[in-house]
Amino acid sequence: MNYILLVVGFLLLIKGADWFVDGSASVAKRLKVPTFIIGMTIVAMGTSAPELAVSTAASLKGSNAIAISNVIGSNIFNLLVVCGACALFQPLSVKYSVLRKEFPISILASVLFVAMCFLGFSMSRTDGMILVLLFVCFLVWMVLSARKAREEEEQEEPLKQLPVWKCIIFIPGGIAAIVLGGDLVVDAASAIAESFGLSPTLIGLTIVACGTSLPELVTSIVAAKKGDADMALGNVIGSNIFNILLILGIAASVSPMEVLTENLIDGCLLIGLSFVTFVFAWIKQNISRKEGIVMLLLYVVYLFYICLR
């Protein structure tokens, strides 16, 4: 039965992502908001809903190993697998402004998280509230950036757009399918993994992290194939910021979390891999197919490491 639910979940993810990308791209065109900003906000928050649900539920149940490892594992998956897979379909061009602002913010969020963890090997409610407050500040900044981009947008030839009624159906319908599909995949995969006797931390870093990041993967690949590379990259960066600042912030605010040494090591690896991805993007202001393959191979090496330790 779990294997059937796994397949149904994947189908919902794929179709939901297709609807969500089409609806979001049409809204961006109508409002003259850059697709990158739509990817950083609406798409990122929509595709990160599974991580929010899983980590908050895990925190409430006292399963801190899954709550923290889910976020770290999801962010590493986003950087290496989502960006790497998208680059295979279409090289991801990266604007200089993104390398100067949004990308460094995602790295700083990871550094802040690791620094908090080092202090007392725990995340208190105060730490959680600080992270949530920083996310609110980030969201306000993104809204102001969207307004500025809209004001500076030149009048262009109208592009093909979906009717308003389709956008109204496609966006919430796509999110619902993505969230439901993500839940089915995570639950089924976790049940299968537990039957093989895997540890909670390993399940959080692999099965749960990959499962909850499937919306980002599918949505970003669909966006890249449709030529919306900005939305694909924005989805990854926005999701990583969302995961650390809001999801870990809410989880810690709900229930203080003990941090394991393995969490700190994985957090440091996340920072290092973020710098690697940043360097790839900085060199030619794009992530090429070759670099995408390297990133995918790095993820395979990381999987071997966490399985063998």
Side-chain angles (χ1 to χ4, degrees):
M1 184 62 182
N2 285 322
Y3 292 98
I4 295 174
L5 291 176
L6 199 63
V7 174
V8 173
F10 277 121
L11 292 175
L12 284 172
L13 280 170
I14 294 169
K15 193 58 185 176
D18 196 31
W19 282 11
F20 193 46
V21 168
D22 285 347
S24 299
S26 291
V27 168
K29 291 167 186 173
R30 286 182 180 279
L31 298 179
K32 299 191 187 308
V33 175
T35 50
F36 177 80
I37 291 180
I38 293 292
M40 282 280 291
T41 52
I42 297 173
V43 178
M45 287 187 278
T47 56
S48 287
E51 283 95 333
L52 178 59
V54 170
S55 291
T56 303
S59 178
L60 284 169
K61 294 176 183 176
S63 303
N64 297 336
I66 288 183
I68 295 176
S69 58
N70 174 38
V71 167
I72 297 175
S74 293
N75 281 17
I76 292 175
F77 185 92
N78 288 345
L79 281 171
L80 299 183
V81 179
V82 177
C83 283
C86 287
L88 295 183
F89 288 95
Q90 178 177 321
L92 294 176
S93 59
V94 186
K95 294 179 181 177
Y96 177 70
S97 60
V98 175
L99 293 171
R100 193 165 53 89
K101 297 176 184 176
E102 289 85 1
F103 212 138
I105 289 175
S106 70
I107 296 176
L108 286 174
S110 301
V111 172
L112 177 61
F113 160 68
V114 171
M116 285 179 168
C117 290
F118 267 118
L119 301 175
F121 276 74
S122 66
M123 287 196 70
S124 65
R125 284 192 172 90
T126 302
D127 292 333
M129 287 186 282
I130 289 172
L131 291 178
V132 173
L133 180 61
L134 287 173
F135 178 76
V136 172
C137 293
F138 168 74
L139 200 57
V140 170
W141 177 62
M142 288 305 299
V143 170
L144 293 176
S145 297
R147 288 183 60 184
K148 184 179 179 182
R150 184 178 177 183
E151 290 171 1
E152 293 176 352
E153 186 79 22
E154 295 180 0
Q155 293 295 327
E156 297 179 352
E157 188 98 12
L159 299 173
K160 185 179 179 181
Q161 303 167 356
L162 290 176
V164 175
W165 67 269
K166 272 194 177 181
C167 293
I168 294 173
I169 294 174
F170 275 27
I171 293 177
I175 291 176
I178 286 169
V179 173
L180 179 58
D183 285 343
L184 288 175
V185 169
V186 170
D187 291 343
S190 295
I192 294 169
E194 285 176 0
S195 68
F196 287 99
L198 299 179
S199 69
T201 299
L202 186 58
I203 291 173
L205 283 170
T206 54
I207 304 297
V208 179
C210 295
T212 55
S213 289
L214 282 176
E216 284 91 339
L217 176 62
V218 178
T219 302
S220 294
I221 288 178
V222 170
K225 288 180 71 176
K226 291 176 180 286
D228 289 320
D230 274 356
M231 183 181 289
L233 185 63
N235 181 25
V236 169
I237 296 175
S239 292
N240 281 12
I241 295 172
F242 183 92
N243 288 349
I244 290 179
L245 296 186
L246 188 63
I247 294 177
L248 278 181
I250 289 177
S253 298
V254 168
S255 175
M257 298 185 293
E258 181 184 353
V259 177
L260 305 176
T261 303
E262 290 177 346
N263 297 143
L264 285 174
I265 294 172
D266 292 324
C268 292
L269 282 173
L270 171 60
I271 294 171
L273 292 170
S274 296
F275 273 112
V276 169
T277 307
F278 181 80
V279 170
F280 280 166
W282 181 273
I283 293 174
K284 297 179 181 177
Q285 290 194 14
N286 74 55
I287 298 175
S288 67
R289 288 187 174 87
K290 289 182 180 178
E291 290 164 341
I293 293 172
V294 171
M295 292 163 75
L296 291 172
L297 290 175
L298 281 174
Y299 188 74
V300 172
V301 172
Y302 171 71
L303 282 182
F304 272 111
Y305 161 70
I306 59 177
C307 289
L308 294 175
R309 71 182 179 188

